[in-house]
Amino acid sequence: MEIKKEEITKFKNIISSTKSALILTHEYPDGDALGSALAAFYLLKALGVKAKILFQKINKEDWAFIDFLADLDIEYDKDLINVTDYDLVLVVDSSNPQRLGLAEDLLATAKLSINIDHHVDNSRFATWNFVEEATSVGEILYFFFNKLKIVIPREVAYCLLVSIITDTGRFRFSNTTREIFLIVADLFGKVKTEDYFNINKNIYSEVSLNKSKLMGEVINKLIIYHDNIAFSYIDVESAFEDGLIDALLSIKNMIAAVLVRKNGDILKLSFRSKRLDVNVRELAALFGGGGHIQAAGAKVAIEDLDTQLADIKEKVATYFSKYCG
Ligand SMILES: [Mn+2]
Protein backbone atom coordinates (compact mmCIF):
# COMPACT_ATOMS: atom_id res chain seq x y z
CA MET A 1 0.00 0.00 0.00
CA GLU A 2 0.99 3.61 -0.40
CA ILE A 3 -0.41 6.64 1.40
CA LYS A 4 -0.76 9.68 -0.83
CA LYS A 5 1.29 12.72 0.03
CA GLU A 6 -1.89 14.84 0.18
CA GLU A 7 -3.26 12.55 2.86
CA ILE A 8 -0.19 13.00 5.02
CA THR A 9 -0.31 16.76 4.50
CA LYS A 10 -3.98 16.75 5.45
CA PHE A 11 -3.23 14.79 8.64
CA LYS A 12 -0.38 17.13 9.52
CA ASN A 13 -2.62 20.17 9.09
CA ILE A 14 -5.36 18.78 11.32
CA ILE A 15 -2.87 17.83 14.00
CA SER A 16 -1.06 21.17 13.88
CA SER A 17 -4.09 22.83 15.50
CA THR A 18 -4.66 20.01 17.97
CA LYS A 19 -3.43 20.13 21.55
CA SER A 20 -5.25 17.19 23.07
CA ALA A 21 -6.75 14.02 21.68
CA LEU A 22 -8.75 11.06 22.88
CA ILE A 23 -7.94 7.77 21.15
CA LEU A 24 -10.76 5.25 20.80
CA THR A 25 -10.98 1.79 19.32
CA HIS A 26 -13.55 -1.01 19.15
CA GLU A 27 -14.64 -2.75 22.33
CA TYR A 28 -12.93 -6.05 23.17
CA PRO A 29 -9.79 -4.72 21.47
CA ASP A 30 -7.73 -7.26 19.55
CA GLY A 31 -4.02 -7.06 18.75
CA ASP A 32 -4.44 -4.50 15.99
CA ALA A 33 -6.82 -2.29 17.98
CA LEU A 34 -4.43 -2.36 20.90
CA GLY A 35 -1.20 -2.03 18.92
CA SER A 36 -2.50 0.75 16.71
CA ALA A 37 -4.07 2.70 19.60
CA LEU A 38 -0.74 2.64 21.43
CA ALA A 39 1.25 3.50 18.29
CA ALA A 40 -1.19 6.37 17.58
CA PHE A 41 -0.54 7.63 21.12
CA TYR A 42 3.19 7.84 20.37
CA LEU A 43 2.58 9.37 16.96
CA LEU A 44 0.46 12.15 18.47
CA LYS A 45 2.98 12.65 21.25
CA ALA A 46 5.77 13.07 18.69
CA LEU A 47 3.60 15.70 17.01
CA GLY A 48 3.13 17.59 20.28
CA VAL A 49 -0.37 16.35 21.11
CA LYS A 50 -1.29 15.24 24.62
CA ALA A 51 -3.31 12.07 24.15
CA LYS A 52 -5.33 9.69 26.25
CA ILE A 53 -6.47 6.22 25.19
CA LEU A 54 -9.81 4.77 26.25
CA PHE A 55 -10.03 0.98 26.06
CA GLN A 56 -13.36 -0.69 26.59
CA LYS A 57 -13.94 -4.27 27.67
CA ILE A 58 -10.27 -5.06 27.21
CA ASN A 59 -9.04 -8.42 28.36
CA LYS A 60 -6.22 -7.15 30.54
CA GLU A 61 -5.02 -10.64 31.41
CA ASP A 62 -4.21 -11.54 27.82
CA TRP A 63 -2.68 -8.21 26.91
CA ALA A 64 -0.68 -7.51 30.08
CA PHE A 65 2.57 -8.33 28.28
CA ILE A 66 2.68 -4.96 26.57
CA ASP A 67 2.78 -3.26 29.97
CA PHE A 68 6.43 -2.34 29.68
CA LEU A 69 5.53 0.62 27.51
CA ALA A 70 6.28 3.88 29.25
CA ASP A 71 4.49 7.24 29.51
CA LEU A 72 1.13 5.95 28.39
CA ASP A 73 -2.11 7.55 29.53
CA ILE A 74 -4.82 4.89 29.40
CA GLU A 75 -8.34 4.93 30.80
CA TYR A 76 -10.63 1.91 30.99
CA ASP A 77 -13.76 3.55 32.26
CA LYS A 78 -15.83 5.58 29.82
CA ASP A 79 -17.60 7.47 32.59
CA LEU A 80 -14.35 9.14 33.59
CA ILE A 81 -14.04 10.78 30.19
CA ASN A 82 -15.36 14.24 29.37
CA VAL A 83 -15.04 14.45 25.62
CA THR A 84 -15.22 18.25 25.58
CA ASP A 85 -11.80 18.22 27.27
CA TYR A 86 -10.30 17.10 23.96
CA ASP A 87 -9.81 18.95 20.67
CA LEU A 88 -9.97 15.73 18.72
CA VAL A 89 -11.15 12.13 18.90
CA LEU A 90 -9.03 9.68 16.93
CA VAL A 91 -10.58 6.30 16.17
CA VAL A 92 -8.54 3.30 15.03
CA ASP A 93 -9.51 -0.11 13.66
CA SER A 94 -13.28 0.46 13.71
CA SER A 95 -15.34 0.15 10.56
CA ASN A 96 -18.29 2.00 12.07
CA PRO A 97 -19.17 3.96 15.24
CA GLN A 98 -21.29 1.10 16.62
CA ARG A 99 -18.11 -0.91 17.07
CA LEU A 100 -17.07 1.56 19.76
CA GLY A 101 -19.81 0.20 22.01
CA LEU A 102 -20.61 2.58 24.85
CA ALA A 103 -18.02 5.09 23.60
CA GLU A 104 -20.12 5.77 20.51
CA ASP A 105 -21.67 8.82 22.17
CA LEU A 106 -18.20 10.22 22.92
CA LEU A 107 -17.52 10.22 19.20
CA ALA A 108 -20.92 11.72 18.43
CA THR A 109 -20.24 14.72 20.67
CA ALA A 110 -16.59 15.20 19.69
CA LYS A 111 -15.59 18.58 18.22
CA LEU A 112 -13.46 16.95 15.52
CA SER A 113 -12.74 13.35 14.67
CA ILE A 114 -10.25 11.28 12.70
CA ASN A 115 -10.88 7.72 11.59
CA ILE A 116 -7.88 5.58 10.64
CA ASP A 117 -8.89 2.15 9.43
CA HIS A 118 -8.24 -0.71 7.03
CA HIS A 119 -11.74 -2.23 6.70
CA VAL A 120 -12.92 -1.74 3.12
CA ASP A 121 -16.52 -1.36 4.27
CA ASN A 122 -15.62 1.50 6.65
CA SER A 123 -18.55 3.90 6.84
CA ARG A 124 -16.29 6.99 6.89
CA PHE A 125 -18.04 8.29 9.95
CA ALA A 126 -15.47 10.88 11.09
CA THR A 127 -14.73 14.47 10.16
CA TRP A 128 -11.53 13.20 8.53
CA ASN A 129 -11.23 9.66 7.25
CA PHE A 130 -8.02 7.81 6.44
CA VAL A 131 -9.19 4.47 5.16
CA GLU A 132 -6.55 2.46 3.34
CA GLU A 133 -6.39 -1.09 2.10
CA ALA A 134 -3.80 -2.60 4.42
CA THR A 135 -3.20 -5.66 6.56
CA SER A 136 -3.81 -3.67 9.71
CA VAL A 137 -4.03 -0.17 11.11
CA GLY A 138 -0.53 -0.88 12.37
CA GLU A 139 0.69 -1.02 8.78
CA ILE A 140 -1.02 2.30 7.96
CA LEU A 141 0.55 3.96 11.00
CA TYR A 142 3.95 2.63 9.97
CA PHE A 143 3.60 4.77 6.83
CA PHE A 144 2.40 7.75 8.85
CA PHE A 145 5.57 7.60 10.96
CA ASN A 146 7.77 7.22 7.92
CA LYS A 147 6.16 9.91 5.80
CA LEU A 148 6.12 12.32 8.72
CA LYS A 149 9.80 11.45 9.23
CA ILE A 150 9.25 10.47 12.84
CA VAL A 151 11.74 7.88 14.03
CA ILE A 152 10.02 4.69 15.20
CA PRO A 153 11.27 3.83 18.68
CA ARG A 154 11.38 0.30 20.08
CA GLU A 155 8.01 0.66 21.89
CA VAL A 156 6.25 1.70 18.71
CA ALA A 157 7.90 -1.00 16.60
CA TYR A 158 6.71 -3.49 19.22
CA CYS A 159 3.12 -2.21 18.97
CA LEU A 160 3.18 -2.22 15.16
CA LEU A 161 4.45 -5.80 15.16
CA VAL A 162 1.59 -6.82 17.48
CA SER A 163 -0.86 -5.20 15.01
CA ILE A 164 0.62 -6.80 11.93
CA ILE A 165 1.24 -10.24 13.43
CA THR A 166 -2.32 -10.56 14.75
CA ASP A 167 -4.13 -9.13 11.71
CA THR A 168 -2.23 -11.38 9.30
CA GLY A 169 -2.95 -14.35 11.59
CA ARG A 170 0.78 -14.78 12.09
CA PHE A 171 1.41 -14.33 8.35
CA ARG A 172 -1.07 -17.01 7.38
CA PHE A 173 -3.93 -14.95 5.93
CA SER A 174 -4.16 -14.00 2.26
CA ASN A 175 -3.23 -10.40 3.12
CA THR A 176 0.35 -11.60 3.76
CA THR A 177 2.51 -10.10 1.02
CA ARG A 178 6.16 -9.46 0.24
CA GLU A 179 5.57 -5.80 1.17
CA ILE A 180 4.41 -6.66 4.66
CA PHE A 181 7.52 -8.79 5.23
CA LEU A 182 9.66 -5.82 4.21
CA ILE A 183 7.89 -3.66 6.80
CA VAL A 184 8.29 -6.38 9.42
CA ALA A 185 11.98 -6.70 8.54
CA ASP A 186 12.38 -2.97 9.10
CA LEU A 187 10.52 -3.15 12.43
CA PHE A 188 12.68 -6.11 13.42
CA GLY A 189 15.67 -3.83 13.31
CA LYS A 190 14.04 -1.54 15.86
CA VAL A 191 13.07 -4.09 18.53
CA LYS A 192 15.15 -6.50 20.52
CA THR A 193 15.17 -10.12 19.41
CA GLU A 194 13.43 -11.14 22.63
CA ASP A 195 10.59 -8.72 21.88
CA TYR A 196 9.50 -10.67 18.83
CA PHE A 197 9.77 -13.92 20.78
CA ASN A 198 7.81 -12.35 23.63
CA ILE A 199 4.97 -11.16 21.37
CA ASN A 200 4.53 -14.59 19.81
CA LYS A 201 4.82 -16.40 23.10
CA ASN A 202 2.16 -14.24 24.69
CA ILE A 203 -0.28 -14.19 21.81
CA TYR A 204 0.10 -17.69 20.45
CA SER A 205 2.04 -20.05 22.68
CA GLU A 206 0.02 -19.46 25.82
CA VAL A 207 -3.69 -19.34 26.46
CA SER A 208 -5.07 -18.42 29.87
CA LEU A 209 -6.92 -21.15 31.75
CA ASN A 210 -10.24 -19.26 31.51
CA LYS A 211 -9.88 -18.89 27.78
CA SER A 212 -8.94 -22.56 27.40
CA LYS A 213 -12.14 -23.50 29.21
CA LEU A 214 -14.13 -21.23 26.93
CA MET A 215 -12.53 -22.85 23.87
CA GLY A 216 -13.58 -26.21 25.28
CA GLU A 217 -17.15 -24.90 25.50
CA VAL A 218 -17.00 -23.71 21.88
CA ILE A 219 -15.90 -27.16 20.72
CA ASN A 220 -18.49 -28.90 22.93
CA LYS A 221 -21.30 -27.03 21.21
CA LEU A 222 -19.96 -27.71 17.71
CA ILE A 223 -22.37 -28.34 14.86
CA ILE A 224 -21.03 -29.18 11.39
CA TYR A 225 -22.95 -28.22 8.26
CA HIS A 226 -22.33 -29.73 4.82
CA ASP A 227 -19.27 -31.56 6.29
CA ASN A 228 -17.26 -28.34 5.89
CA ILE A 229 -18.80 -25.58 7.98
CA ALA A 230 -18.13 -25.40 11.72
CA PHE A 231 -20.79 -23.64 13.80
CA SER A 232 -21.02 -23.05 17.51
CA TYR A 233 -23.19 -21.08 19.89
CA ILE A 234 -22.13 -20.18 23.43
CA ASP A 235 -23.82 -18.25 26.17
CA VAL A 236 -20.95 -17.23 28.44
CA GLU A 237 -20.21 -13.72 29.64
CA SER A 238 -16.50 -13.16 29.20
CA ALA A 239 -14.00 -10.64 27.98
CA PHE A 240 -12.31 -13.28 25.85
CA GLU A 241 -13.18 -12.68 22.29
CA ASP A 242 -10.13 -12.90 20.14
CA GLY A 243 -9.17 -16.28 18.72
CA LEU A 244 -12.13 -18.28 19.99
CA ILE A 245 -13.39 -18.87 16.48
CA ASP A 246 -9.96 -20.21 15.45
CA ALA A 247 -10.75 -23.29 17.50
CA LEU A 248 -13.54 -23.96 15.00
CA LEU A 249 -11.77 -22.91 11.82
CA SER A 250 -8.69 -25.01 12.54
CA ILE A 251 -10.69 -28.24 12.45
CA LYS A 252 -9.56 -30.28 9.48
CA ASN A 253 -11.73 -30.07 6.34
CA MET A 254 -13.60 -27.00 7.55
CA ILE A 255 -13.66 -24.21 4.96
CA ALA A 256 -15.48 -21.71 7.15
CA ALA A 257 -16.55 -21.18 10.74
CA VAL A 258 -19.36 -19.30 12.45
CA LEU A 259 -19.38 -18.49 16.14
CA VAL A 260 -22.42 -16.99 17.81
CA ARG A 261 -22.05 -15.59 21.31
CA LYS A 262 -24.79 -14.33 23.55
CA ASN A 263 -23.53 -11.16 25.15
CA GLY A 264 -26.10 -9.46 27.37
CA ASP A 265 -29.03 -8.59 25.16
CA ILE A 266 -27.18 -8.99 21.88
CA LEU A 267 -25.90 -11.85 19.77
CA LYS A 268 -22.38 -11.40 18.43
CA LEU A 269 -21.75 -13.27 15.21
CA SER A 270 -18.24 -13.98 13.95
CA PHE A 271 -17.46 -15.44 10.55
CA ARG A 272 -14.16 -16.78 9.23
CA SER A 273 -13.21 -18.45 5.97
CA LYS A 274 -10.15 -20.50 5.08
CA ARG A 275 -10.49 -19.91 1.35
CA LEU A 276 -10.20 -16.79 -0.76
CA ASP A 277 -13.26 -17.79 -2.78
CA VAL A 278 -15.45 -18.33 0.27
CA ASN A 279 -16.81 -14.88 1.10
CA VAL A 280 -18.07 -14.49 4.67
CA ARG A 281 -18.54 -10.72 4.43
CA GLU A 282 -21.54 -11.39 2.21
CA LEU A 283 -22.96 -13.68 4.89
CA ALA A 284 -22.31 -11.11 7.62
CA ALA A 285 -24.19 -8.55 5.53
CA LEU A 286 -27.32 -10.72 5.79
CA PHE A 287 -27.26 -9.84 9.50
CA GLY A 288 -26.41 -6.17 9.00
CA GLY A 289 -22.70 -6.72 9.61
CA GLY A 290 -19.55 -6.44 7.54
CA GLY A 291 -15.79 -6.93 7.49
CA HIS A 292 -13.40 -8.67 5.15
CA ILE A 293 -13.87 -11.56 2.70
CA GLN A 294 -12.27 -14.05 5.09
CA ALA A 295 -13.18 -12.43 8.42
CA ALA A 296 -16.41 -10.65 9.22
CA GLY A 297 -18.86 -10.04 12.03
CA ALA A 298 -22.31 -8.81 12.95
CA LYS A 299 -24.36 -7.90 15.99
CA VAL A 300 -28.02 -8.70 16.41
CA ALA A 301 -30.30 -7.42 19.19
CA ILE A 302 -32.02 -10.29 20.95
CA GLU A 303 -35.80 -10.33 20.70
CA ASP A 304 -36.74 -13.99 20.63
CA LEU A 305 -33.56 -15.98 21.17
CA ASP A 306 -34.70 -19.43 20.05
CA THR A 307 -36.33 -18.17 16.86
CA GLN A 308 -33.32 -16.01 16.06
CA LEU A 309 -30.86 -18.86 16.63
CA ALA A 310 -32.90 -21.10 14.36
CA ASP A 311 -32.93 -18.35 11.73
CA ILE A 312 -29.16 -17.84 11.97
CA LYS A 313 -28.52 -21.57 11.61
CA GLU A 314 -30.80 -21.77 8.60
CA LYS A 315 -29.18 -18.77 6.90
CA VAL A 316 -25.71 -20.19 7.58
CA ALA A 317 -26.58 -23.61 6.19
CA THR A 318 -28.28 -22.11 3.12
CA TYR A 319 -25.54 -19.59 2.42
CA PHE A 320 -22.74 -22.14 2.42
CA SER A 321 -24.56 -24.72 0.33
CA LYS A 322 -23.19 -23.03 -2.82
CA TYR A 323 -19.64 -23.72 -1.66
CA CYS A 324 -20.15 -27.27 -0.44
CA GLY A 325 -21.18 -30.55 -1.96
MN1 LIG B 1 -7.49 -4.48 12.36
Side-chain angles (χ1 to χ4, degrees), residues 11 38 44 60 74 126 156 160 163 197 249 262 265 292-293 309 320:
F11 182 79
L38 298 179
L44 291 175
K60 286 187 193 166
I74 301 180
V156 173
L160 297 178
S163 276
F197 175 78
L249 194 63
K262 184 174 177 295
D265 51 6
H292 309 280
I293 287 177
L309 277 176
F320 286 114

Side-chain angles (χ1 to χ4, degrees), residues 291-308:
H292 309 280
I293 287 177
Q294 290 184 283
K299 274 185 193 174
V300 179
I302 298 175
E303 286 154 17
D304 176 352
L305 183 62
D306 290 343
T307 313
Q308 282 171 303

Side-chain angles (χ1 to χ4, degrees), residues 10 30-31 33 54 57 60 65 78-79 142 147 195 221 270 297:
K10 192 167 89 182
D30 57 6
L54 172 68
K57 300 189 179 174
K60 286 187 193 166
F65 70 96
K78 187 215 132 186
D79 297 336
Y142 171 83
K147 298 268 160 127
D195 288 344
K221 300 280 170 61
S270 306

